[in-house]
Amino acid sequence: MSICDDTLLCNFPKCRAKLSAFAWVTACSHVFCDQHGSEKFSRSPVICPACSSALSGKLDIVRMELSPSEEYKAMVLTGLRPDIVLDISSRALAFWSYQVHQERIYQEYSLSRAESQLKQMEKMLTQQNQSREMELTALKGEIASLKKMMDEYKRNYSEVSEKLMQRNRQYQKLQGLYDSLRMRSMVVGAGGRHTEQQVGHQDYNADNNAGVARHATPQRSPPFLSLGPEGDSRFLSALEADGGKTFFQFSSPGRDKCRPFIRKH
């Protein structure tokens, strides 16, 4: 029952509902709601769901109206002797006191159970807090070590960056020197080729001028006025005066003189 509003509660362990209208009362001083009483007490043998006592008597189980009418109140104890009325009232009050006592025991048991659960939860919470603190300490140590590693990596990175910049500057210098030397060699090669071409053109022009002069000079024609040994001797003497060459050979610039001016690139 509830101590605050003096209301009976169903003694079924899984119910604990407030009773109203009708209730099932047993001889072992337990009370149940109408739903669980009708369900449990319709079987045989009848056993109390709260204390497992056998309820075999005719009046061991009674369905009571918790809010009786005024007529019922006026007539239920009418005609009984005072001692019987007092006995009935004392038993009713004893039932009520037992329900209050049982409710207090149940509440104390619930409180102790809640306190034990609270202690267990506090213990678990303390253990979890300790484990979390240990993990946090370990994580802080890892963070510190990672920071040291990161600082070292940053230092190494800065050193490598400086070295790389130095190498880049050296490479740029070498590239500039290489480009200047390459341009100088190209200029020198172009000047040499130009000089060789000029010399070749001069030789070629000299050969051409000599050939033109040779062709322009009239050959002495042998006299063909008379035939015989004397005319043949004069014809041969004219050919010998021309350098011993045949009549159909002409001086032309040789191809071998032009070959040195053609180079493979």
Side-chain angles (χ1 to χ4, degrees), residues 8-256:
L8 292 173
L9 300 178
C10 179
N11 296 156
F12 193 76
K14 295 182 180 180
C15 183
R16 304 291 297 170
K18 291 182 179 180
L19 301 179
S20 61
F22 293 93
W24 292 79
V25 181
T26 62
C28 56
S29 299
H30 291 109
V31 62
F32 300 96
C33 63
D34 196 17
Q35 178 183 357
H36 287 97
S38 300
E39 181 182 352
K40 298 296 181 181
F41 299 140
S42 62
R43 306 171 186 174
S44 57
V46 180
I47 297 174
C48 177
C51 62
S52 300
S53 299
L55 303 173
S56 58
K58 183 179 180 181
L59 296 175
D60 287 346
I61 303 170
V62 179
R63 187 172 182 267
M64 298 292 296
E65 186 179 359
L66 299 180
S67 299
S69 61
E70 294 296 328
E71 292 82 2
Y72 179 80
K73 293 177 183 179
M75 297 300 295
V76 67
L77 296 176
T78 303
L80 298 177
R81 295 195 308 270
D83 57 344
I84 297 175
V85 173
L86 291 175
D87 186 23
I88 294 172
S89 299
S90 63
R91 291 185 182 187
L93 291 173
F95 175 82
W96 191 269
S97 299
Y98 177 77
Q99 286 293 316
V100 171
H101 178 68
Q102 290 296 113
E103 183 64 24
R104 181 179 291 112
I105 291 173
Y106 179 79
Q107 294 295 336
E108 290 177 355
Y109 168 74
S110 299
L111 180 61
S112 63
R113 185 177 179 183
E115 287 178 351
S116 63
Q117 290 179 355
L118 179 61
K119 289 180 180 179
Q120 290 179 359
M121 295 296 292
E122 288 178 351
K123 186 176 180 180
M124 291 176 61
L125 181 61
T126 304
Q127 292 177 355
Q128 289 180 358
N129 289 333
Q130 291 177 355
S131 62
R132 295 295 182 274
E133 288 178 356
M134 293 175 63
E135 291 178 358
L136 183 61
T137 305
L139 290 174
K140 286 181 179 179
E142 291 181 0
I143 290 171
S145 61
L146 290 174
K147 284 183 178 180
K148 290 181 181 179
M149 291 176 63
M150 185 173 66
D151 294 336
E152 186 177 357
Y153 287 154
K154 285 182 178 179
R155 185 169 58 254
N156 294 333
Y157 175 75
S158 62
E159 293 177 358
V160 172
S161 298
E162 292 178 358
K163 290 181 180 179
L164 180 62
M165 292 175 65
Q166 292 178 0
R167 295 294 186 274
N168 287 332
R169 287 194 292 268
Q170 293 176 0
Y171 173 75
Q172 290 176 1
K173 289 180 180 179
L174 292 175
Q175 186 68 30
L177 292 173
Y178 171 75
D179 293 337
S180 63
L181 292 174
R182 184 169 175 270
M183 293 296 295
R184 187 178 299 174
S185 63
M186 290 175 63
V187 169
V188 171
R193 285 196 298 272
H194 182 66
T195 304
E196 291 178 357
Q197 288 179 1
Q198 287 181 352
V199 172
H201 282 301
Q202 290 176 2
D203 295 340
Y204 183 73
N205 291 330
D207 293 339
N208 286 335
N209 292 330
V212 170
R214 190 180 297 114
H215 285 290
T217 303
Q219 299 281 338
R220 180 179 296 179
S221 301
F224 294 96
L225 296 176
S226 62
L227 297 174
E230 186 179 357
D232 293 335
S233 62
R234 274 187 276 178
F235 180 72
L236 293 174
S237 64
L239 290 176
E240 291 175 355
D242 198 15
K245 298 180 181 179
T246 60
F247 181 76
F248 295 100
Q249 279 184 339
F250 296 97
S251 61
S252 62
R255 295 182 181 179
D256 294 335

